[in-house]
Amino acid sequence: MSRPVRVLFVCLGNICRSPVAEGVFRQKVRDAGLDDFIEIDSAGTGAWHVGNPPDRRMTATAKHHGVDLLWQRARQFVDTDLADFDHILPMDKSNLHDILYLDEGNDFGQRVTLFRQWDPEPGTYDVPDPYYGGDAGFEEVYSIVDRTTDALLKGLAAHYDLEPD
Ligand code: 4NP
């Protein structure tokens, strides 16, 4: 393969759901020995938290599960991300809508699919936004992200025929 597969997780603020998806997926990719083959980033459709670290409730939940999110900084999704990433994975349908709105030429729709389309136990297509809720919401996000990134990694490895060094 000529270059790494590029994966972008997207939510609204880039301080809760997409940072934990990025952090958990990075760890799984590293553990699988595939970090030379998969590049990972996250972004928010909104600009409110640009430059900030993830929400401390999300950071604490991830740390409890052995995943460090503290180094991450929020950035806003920009239209050039549509061309730059192979797989753009919005956390909910509203994020999906906001991303597709920026695809003015209707060129990149195939790259944009809901994150939970990979969830083996979907229930709903949305990762619930935990921002205005209690701690249980952050645990729920973590467990959705954990099982969904497992499936995502298996799916990408099979699709691109990726094998560790
Ligand atoms: P996220 O959560 O989209 O998972 O990062 C949110 C963070 C901040 C806000 C909304 C959702 N906010 O309205 O500021």
Side-chain angles (χ1 to χ4, degrees):
M1 208 177 59
S2 54
R3 67 161 178 81
V5 181
R6 296 186 182 133
V7 177
L8 180 65
F9 301 100
V10 183
C11 62
L12 179 59
N14 194 210
I15 56 168
C16 298
R17 292 165 294 174
S18 61
V20 76
E22 175 181 353
V24 169
F25 192 54
R26 265 185 199 285
Q27 192 147 310
K28 291 183 196 295
V29 166
R30 202 180 309 127
D31 290 348
L34 293 174
D35 31 359
D36 286 345
F37 304 102
I38 302 179
E39 286 181 6
I40 305 158
D41 197 4
S42 66
T45 56
W48 308 284
H49 301 282
V50 167
N52 292 343
D55 186 289
R56 64 181 51 140
R57 297 164 295 174
M58 195 73 260
T59 306
T61 303
K63 186 177 174 200
H64 178 73
H65 291 278
V67 177
D68 176 19
L69 306 181
L70 273 175
W71 56 275
Q72 294 191 38
R73 295 294 176 270
R75 76 166 178 90
Q76 190 171 20
F77 183 88
V78 287
D79 59 0
T80 50
D81 287 324
L82 287 160
D84 287 346
F85 286 87
D86 304 296
H87 296 274
I88 298 168
L89 302 172
M91 294 289 133
D92 65 30
K93 293 191 282 293
S94 158
N95 310 144
L96 175 78
H97 174 271
D98 291 343
I99 291 167
L100 291 179
Y101 184 77
L102 294 175
D103 183 14
E104 290 185 346
N106 297 305
D107 297 317
F108 301 109
Q110 285 186 323
R111 300 177 176 205
V112 188
T113 53
L114 284 163
F115 175 68
R116 288 192 80 175
Q117 287 180 241
W118 292 95
D119 188 348
E121 306 165 32
T124 156
Y125 280 126
D126 294 335
V127 180
D129 183 347
Y131 189 67
Y132 293 107
D135 288 344
F138 288 84
E139 272 302 330
E140 186 191 4
V141 167
Y142 189 91
S143 70
I144 292 167
V145 160
D146 192 28
R147 66 176 186 253
T148 302
T149 50
D150 271 338
L152 175 64
L153 180 54
K154 279 203 192 94
L156 293 183
H159 181 75
Y160 291 100
D161 208 13
L162 301 178
E163 284 178 32
D165 285 331

